[in-house]
Amino acid sequence: MKVQKLNQLYEGKAKKVFETSDPELLIVDYKDDATAFNGLKKGTIESKGIVNNKVSNFLMKMLEEKGIPTHLVEEISDRETIVKRVTIVPLEVIVRNIAAGSLSKRLGLPEGTKMKRTVLEFCYKDDALGDPMVNEYHILAMDLATPEELQRISDYALAINRILSEFLAQAKIELIDFKIEFGRTSDGAIILADEISPDTCRFWDSETGEKLDKDRFRRDLGNVEGAYREIMHRLLGL
Ligand code: 5GP
């Protein structure tokens, strides 16, 4: 696909976003920069941008094939992908199968506790507020999404969890939890946007329980690059 990369629209913690010659398309450029705890911890994870670009595209393509609409258009380099332009719904949608991270802390559940059923959480995307957790009432009262959009987002999130969990299990990866974001296209459709990568998911080795995700960076567990490469290797064979 021939679109020209134009001016930078936005630079986030892990990605840069560029306008293109097509007003409906953007180019995302993944960086190696890593942050945690709302930007308090900063570092670099060598080749993270490449892994996240390729892993996210691979998983989104798989999800598309199973009927989940995503922003993915085309990977154009190791770090760059053409995506559909959307307005991001300002919610972090979190799905959990096993207790870990902030859920363990908040509810006093040891990490690794299997939840009796899937947990769906929403956080309001606002760095200044530290992305506070909100429920359906807050979302509707603040008009962050319409009731129809919220229903669709919830249905997609749970379907994505089922598809991803099953798929990753074949690569001996247990999907503990993950965060996704959705966007609205110019014609009002809700599609999966942002990324699905070791930055945004907890991946544990199914047999050893070894952490293969950003928690290695957050918690100074070492071999961060190795864990990211391992995920890319298991999924894409690279
Ligand atoms: P927790 O709430 O336990 O910190 O995170 C739950 C899941 O969502 C984890 O897989 C975590 O990686 C992801 N997650 C939650 N908030 C963020 C965020 O602001 N940035 C990223 N990259 N992942 C997040």
Side-chain angles (χ1 to χ4, degrees):
M1 176 175 296
K2 282 209 170 59
V3 293
Q4 253 182 298
K5 193 173 182 180
L6 300 178
N7 53 305
Q8 185 175 308
L9 200 60
Y10 164 82
E11 177 161 6
K13 289 173 239 171
K15 301 188 275 290
K16 293 179 187 171
V17 181
F18 295 85
E19 288 193 298
T20 72
S21 42
D22 183 332
E24 294 288 333
L25 300 176
L26 301 174
I27 290 175
V28 180
D29 188 340
Y30 286 76
K31 308 190 286 183
D32 287 349
D33 299 352
T35 63
F37 313 119
N38 201 12
L40 280 178
K41 184 179 170 88
K42 290 193 176 74
T44 306
I45 302 172
E46 201 198 314
S47 301
K48 173 172 85 86
I50 298 173
V51 171
N52 286 3
N53 185 39
K54 290 185 179 293
V55 166
S56 187
N57 291 342
F58 178 81
L59 293 175
M60 288 215 191
K61 186 161 177 280
M62 190 269 293
L63 289 167
E64 281 275 359
E65 284 162 7
K66 307 238 175 199
I68 307 289
T70 78
H71 71 165
L72 175 64
V73 176
E74 188 184 342
E75 186 173 299
I76 52 169
S77 76
D78 276 356
R79 291 175 184 274
E80 294 168 301
T81 294
I82 301 174
V83 298
K84 291 178 193 153
R85 187 178 204 135
V86 293
T87 311
I88 292 286
V89 177
L91 292 173
E92 293 194 337
V93 181
I94 296 172
V95 184
R96 302 177 185 271
N97 300 303
I98 308 264
S102 72
L103 180 84
S104 288
K105 213 169 173 182
R106 187 159 19 94
L107 300 180
L109 296 172
E111 284 212 322
T113 307
K114 178 146 179 44
M115 305 306 288
K116 201 164 171 190
R117 50 178 288 178
T118 307
V119 174
L120 183 61
E121 294 173 355
F122 302 99
C123 294
Y124 175 40
K125 257 172 77 75
D126 187 312
D127 280 340
L129 297 174
D131 300 336
M133 189 184 283
V134 289
N135 66 25
E136 287 80 350
Y137 289 87
H138 300 108
I139 293 168
L140 299 178
M142 290 172 73
D143 206 18
L144 302 178
T146 66
E148 295 74 26
E149 285 175 337
L150 188 54
Q151 185 63 52
R152 183 144 286 203
I153 286 170
S154 304
D155 291 345
Y156 281 153
L158 295 173
I160 289 166
N161 182 48
R162 283 192 295 273
I163 297 166
L164 279 185
S165 296
E166 196 177 312
F167 185 83
L168 292 166
Q170 296 167 30
K172 301 242 182 315
I173 299 165
E174 186 162 26
L175 182 61
I176 305 304
D177 57 30
F178 60 95
K179 182 268 297 180
I180 45 181
E181 295 180 23
F182 291 88
R184 291 181 193 100
T185 61
S186 55
D187 50 14
I190 290 285
I191 65 175
L192 179 64
D194 195 47
E195 66 179 281
I196 304 180
S197 72
D199 265 12
T200 61
C201 304
R202 285 196 171 93
F203 294 139
W204 292 1
D205 182 285
S206 311
E207 277 160 15
T208 65
E210 186 190 1
K211 294 180 177 28
L212 299 171
D213 56 59
K214 194 174 167 186
D215 272 350
R216 301 204 73 82
F217 169 76
R218 295 187 186 102
R219 304 178 187 189
D220 297 319
L221 299 176
N223 196 26
V224 186
E225 282 86 2
Y228 278 68
R229 273 199 310 272
E230 178 66 20
I231 292 294
M232 182 161 77
H233 180 68
R234 287 197 199 182
L235 295 179
L236 288 95
L238 295 174

